[in-house]
Amino acid sequence: MNVAIIDYGMSNLGSINNALIECGGENVSIISNPEDFKNATHIILPGVGSFKDGMTNLKDLCWIKPLRKTVIEDKVPLLGICLGMQLLADKGFEGGEIDGLGLIHGTVEKLKPVDNKEKIPHVGWNEIYSKTKSPILENIPDGTDYYFVHSYHFIPRSVKNILTTTPYCGNFVSSVISDNIFGTQFHPEKSQRPGFQLLKNFLNL
Amino acid sequence: MLKVRVIPTLLWKDVGLVKGIGFDSWRRVGSLLPAIRVYNTRQVDELILVDITATADNHKLDLETISEMSCECFVPFTVGGGIKKVDDIKQLLRAGADKVAINSAAYDDPTIITEGAKLFGSQCIVASIDAKKNKDGKYICYSHAGKKKRNIEVSVWAKKLEELGAGEILITSIEKDGTMDGYDINLIKAVTNVVSIPVIASGGAGSYEDLYQAISKGKASAVAAASIFHYTEQTPMEAKGYLHSKKIPVRINRIS
């Protein structure tokens, strides 16, 4: 096992690195050069910040081509977390209309509260409910709480790509799936045991 | 449903974990890293770490220590104290903070909030307000760990901070801090009544009922507390059990 965490300058990687090691990840490394991740068996795309800055950095650091190749052609499992999940989409609207990685069809738009009790950003612990069966959700019961902190959400074009939804702003999509590609809007590395369970499941893929 | 958060506050002074009363008479209550490790296992929803002497002593952020803490912290981690410019926010986020708490700097240069929110997202900008009630019963803001009076009312400043782009407001009663005789509910309301962003209540929690009052009457989205967890047998996990029994949505771990 070679777990590669992509460092494109968009977040601290200490806690995800340590969480993966705690979860039994072997040869976990933070990779800042696209040349260095050829042997990866699992890829983590983390990220905090705006869609625009995220895509700009991925582009400037020459990540887009090797990332797409490894994930699409070599079918290496990828987990995008928070902004890393949003960047999987075709387009985002944070900081203007920006093209995403296009790995899962859909757009990233601002959350719309359904009543004045729902505050934006959506910050805190909230439940996830499975919409698609997947080994990545093994031993995670419906209603388990994960930690969220975001103002934008992923709207997949096809319902087939919805892995879980979360009861906020009219049940937004809190994680996505497409073959070997996964994305969670929540932070498994900040969600204690339930987060570790999800990371373990991912590493077992 | 979004859960109400229970957040232990860790106050940091000269490499130790401390707790005072009314922002004074600090007592050392332990070491930081063991405290973070313990809280990791106790189902806390978040941790707030504040370097209480950073602004007053004008010393630099101890990024190495923060990085060490954040690597061990598997819940969201907010770091405050001594943040003066946007670059400080960047450094702290790079060192592993999930959010930063900004207090004194925002009075002198409110653009730190706007710029921080623009660059890193408002979700990681926690605006912190320390307040005292004056003799007319009005809540007035204080900066520099409670030492410097600002001639602005809490509700006015809170509204302004929201407009500037803060993602959350941490409101602390200086008078109640460390007393363990309950939050200042009216102070919390002075903030929750005027903003629509989440408000974290702080200062005065001594019992689970106090936490409940801050949420039910004060309308806080989260409750921060220190002394109750340092000095009594009460725990964050039991606190959540109590809140759950009062029909407050809290996170109960389903996976062990």
Side-chain angles (χ1 to χ4, degrees), chain B residues 195-212:
Chain B
V195 300
S196 61
I197 50 178
V199 174
I200 307 165
S202 162
S207 68
Y208 301 146
E209 177 63 21
D210 292 338
L211 306 178
Y212 175 67

Side-chain angles (χ1 to χ4, degrees), chain B residues 15 17 28 56 64 68 71 74 79 98 101 107-108 134 144 159 165 189 195 197 209 218 236 244-245 252:
Chain B
V15 307
L17 187 58
R28 191 179 150 84
E64 208 170 302
E68 206 179 315
C71 283
F74 301 122
V79 179
D98 296 293
Y107 297 97
D108 302 323
N134 73 6
H144 296 74
K159 185 85 205 140
K189 276 170 42 186
V195 300
I197 50 178
E209 177 63 21
H244 179 70
S245 75
I252 307 286

Side-chain angles (χ1 to χ4, degrees), chain A residues 26-192:
Chain A
E26 291 161 15
N27 306 318
V28 180
S29 47
I30 293 170
I31 308 282
S32 43
N33 182 351
E35 298 282 311
D36 295 340
F37 94 133
K38 289 195 181 104
N39 300 321
T41 57
H42 297 79
I43 302 168
I44 305 279
L45 182 65
V48 172
S50 79
F51 196 97
K52 186 181 177 191
D53 293 347
M55 280 315 292
T56 304
N57 284 13
L58 281 178
K59 213 176 282 171
D60 290 353
L61 299 167
C62 306
W63 271 109
I64 296 180
K65 224 172 141 189
L67 190 58
R68 285 181 59 91
K69 181 193 170 291
T70 314
V71 172
I72 298 170
E73 289 172 28
D74 308 338
K75 297 273 179 206
V76 175
L78 167 80
L79 175 63
I81 298 173
C82 197
L83 176 65
M85 172 235 206
Q86 297 182 353
L87 297 178
L88 303 175
D90 298 316
K91 257 183 207 316
F93 292 91
E94 188 180 8
E97 189 181 325
I98 318 287
D99 282 340
L101 290 168
L103 289 169
I104 296 183
H105 293 308
T107 55
V108 174
E109 296 175 29
K110 191 143 193 192
L111 284 166
K112 290 189 191 79
V114 289
D115 63 42
N116 60 11
K117 279 191 196 138
E118 292 188 334
K119 298 172 177 183
I120 309 293
H122 174 226
V123 182
W125 297 80
N126 208 337
E127 295 135 41
I128 63 166
Y129 291 89
S130 149
K131 297 291 157 195
T132 302
K133 247 183 120 100
S134 163
I136 202 169
L137 294 178
E138 204 164 290
N139 294 322
I140 299 172
D142 269 351
T144 299
D145 287 304
Y146 282 86
Y147 187 77
F148 290 87
V149 49
H150 62 118
S151 302
Y152 285 75
H153 68 129
F154 196 126
I155 305 171
R157 196 194 294 164
S158 163
V159 291
K160 278 189 216 148
N161 296 128
I162 302 177
L163 181 59
T164 64
T165 61
T166 291
Y168 204 75
C169 292
N171 285 315
F172 74 88
V173 175
S174 49
S175 63
V176 290
I177 179 171
S178 174
D179 295 330
N180 55 317
I181 307 169
F182 303 85
T184 62
Q185 182 60 65
F186 49 88
H187 288 268
E189 79 283 13
K190 290 284 166 184
S191 299
Q192 284 178 338

Side-chain angles (χ1 to χ4, degrees), chain B residues 61-138:
Chain B
L61 308 160
D62 184 349
L63 297 170
E64 208 170 302
T65 304
I66 286 157
S67 166
E68 206 179 315
M69 302 297 137
S70 73
C71 283
E72 296 276 343
C73 188
F74 301 122
V75 291
F77 190 39
T78 300
V79 179
I83 298 166
K84 291 188 188 66
K85 47 192 195 299
V86 172
D87 191 58
D88 294 337
I89 303 175
K90 189 175 176 183
Q91 301 278 348
L92 285 171
L93 297 176
R94 289 291 288 176
D98 296 293
K99 308 188 229 180
V100 294
I102 301 170
N103 191 327
S104 305
Y107 297 97
D108 302 323
D109 179 16
T111 61
I112 189 171
I113 303 282
T114 320
E115 284 297 306
K118 204 190 284 167
L119 283 167
F120 312 108
S122 64
Q123 80 287 337
C124 69
I125 307 293
V126 179
S128 167
I129 306 175
D130 296 332
K132 274 189 204 173
K133 204 195 294 199
N134 73 6
K135 55 182 188 308
D136 305 325
K138 284 186 176 142

Side-chain angles (χ1 to χ4, degrees), chain A residues 1-4 20-21 23-29 41-42 203:
Chain A
M1 186 193 295
N2 288 301
V3 186
L20 288 162
I21 294 168
C23 292
E26 291 161 15
N27 306 318
V28 180
S29 47
T41 57
H42 297 79
L203 294 175

